[in-house]
Amino acid sequence: MERVPFASTLGLVWEGGADRTARVRLPMNGAAASLDGLAVDPLALLALLDHSCSAAVYLALPRPSLIATIDLRCEFAHRSEPGADVICSATTQYLDENFALVRATALSGTTGQCLVYSSSTYSIGAHPGMAGKQVSAEAWLQAGIRREPQQSFRGMLSLYEEGSDFVLPFHEQLIGAVSLPAVHGGATAASLALAAVTLAERTIDPASSWSPLSVTVHYLRAVKAHALTVRPVLRKPGARSCVVGASAFQDTGKESAHAECLLIRNP
């Protein structure tokens, strides 16, 4: 965990693993906190699930291999309790030479209540942006990446508006694939969901707030170590729920990732 900057910044803790199951704890801390600072931000759970599911794939592999996330699907069942850690248990359900399917749950560290259900798919023998390349991870790790604590998870993402789009500035704490380097898949997913939530709050009812009920992310290509543009589109407005799509691009103009988010109005 300590060797991946984004996981280290969030403070992810390895709880153990056996056979095809990995357990990872997300402590309640400043980097994972919601804006009010009371509980773990639901968008931080996307990062926890993506990281834990990839760990479960590594445990299941008969020999070391590169992997890459193809898609991540999450359903939010309950909110995290104030001050509570979150523990993710991820199990590889299917594995062959090309693909792996992982199921996971994120549980309250206090009550054991299920907060999020997740399923994800991974490509075996691939790694973000590494096709045909041989790059040493050690060279990047030895560059002295600073892992500074953040005030909140959404503050760490720090999206800013650029016309009708949102831009995620790159900084070293977002790195997940150190060998490229590339932005962590969990940070990409959270940025897409955050842009979707922000669009809903500003266009449907500025006096209300919204939270994700389900988020599906498709990873199309590596998000490299520079700024990411996120473009949300309101698919279906509603009084109690809405659907927002969000696409992420970099300077090539090609889509790096896409998300479909079902959001619900907070009481």
Side-chain angles (χ1 to χ4, degrees):
M1 300 296 174
E2 293 180 357
R3 296 173 70 86
V4 178
F6 191 61
S8 177
T9 298
L10 288 178
L12 298 186
V13 178
W14 178 250
E15 291 280 289
D19 297 326
R20 298 182 169 207
T21 299
R23 285 174 57 86
V24 179
R25 178 184 294 268
L26 174 59
M28 172 56 200
N29 57 38
S34 55
L35 289 176
D36 60 16
L38 299 178
V40 170
D41 194 306
L43 299 185
L45 299 182
L46 293 170
L48 169 65
L49 287 157
D50 177 65
H51 200 85
S52 303
C53 289
S54 64
V57 177
Y58 284 121
L59 286 176
L61 291 171
R63 58 186 179 278
S65 177
L66 300 173
I67 68 171
T69 315
I70 298 176
D71 66 62
L72 174 69
R73 299 179 294 278
C74 299
E75 297 178 343
F76 293 78
H78 296 93
R79 293 178 179 274
S80 178
E81 296 96 344
D85 293 355
V86 179
I87 301 173
C88 180
S89 177
T91 302
T92 300
Q93 301 285 339
Y94 172 81
L95 177 70
D96 63 19
E97 294 181 352
N98 299 307
F99 299 101
L101 175 65
V102 184
R103 307 286 187 188
T105 53
L107 309 175
S108 167
T110 301
T111 65
Q113 184 177 60
C114 183
L115 307 178
V116 188
Y117 300 91
S118 171
S119 64
S120 53
T121 307
Y122 292 81
S123 174
I124 308 300
H127 198 56
M130 292 297 292
K133 298 180 180 179
Q134 296 292 329
V135 180
S136 170
E138 294 300 325
W140 180 261
L141 286 170
Q142 293 172 3
I145 299 171
R146 293 178 298 170
R147 299 174 179 87
E148 299 175 357
Q150 306 293 321
Q151 292 184 348
S152 70
F153 185 76
R154 301 192 191 198
M156 179 167 62
L157 295 179
S158 63
L159 295 180
Y160 67 85
E161 292 184 68
E162 192 171 87
S164 59
D165 298 334
F166 295 88
V167 177
L168 173 67
F170 173 75
H171 52 87
E172 292 173 338
Q173 283 77 18
L174 297 177
I175 294 173
V178 295
S179 53
L180 183 56
V183 173
H184 196 288
T188 301
S191 298
L192 290 162
L194 178 56
V197 168
T198 303
L199 180 67
E201 291 178 345
R202 293 186 180 181
T203 59
I204 298 176
D205 181 3
S208 65
S209 63
W210 296 75
S211 295
L213 183 61
S214 68
V215 175
T216 299
V217 181
H218 299 289
Y219 297 89
L220 307 178
R221 50 185 48 84
V223 177
K224 297 182 180 180
H226 49 90
L228 181 69
T229 298
V230 181
R231 184 171 301 157
V233 177
L234 184 61
R235 309 280 195 213
K236 178 186 177 296
R240 295 188 298 173
S241 67
C242 67
V243 177
V244 182
S247 297
F249 304 87
Q250 288 193 307
D251 51 10
T252 61
K254 295 181 179 180
E255 197 172 15
S256 299
H258 178 81
E260 289 293 327
C261 307
L262 172 60
L263 310 177
I264 55 173
R265 185 193 299 269
N266 292 325

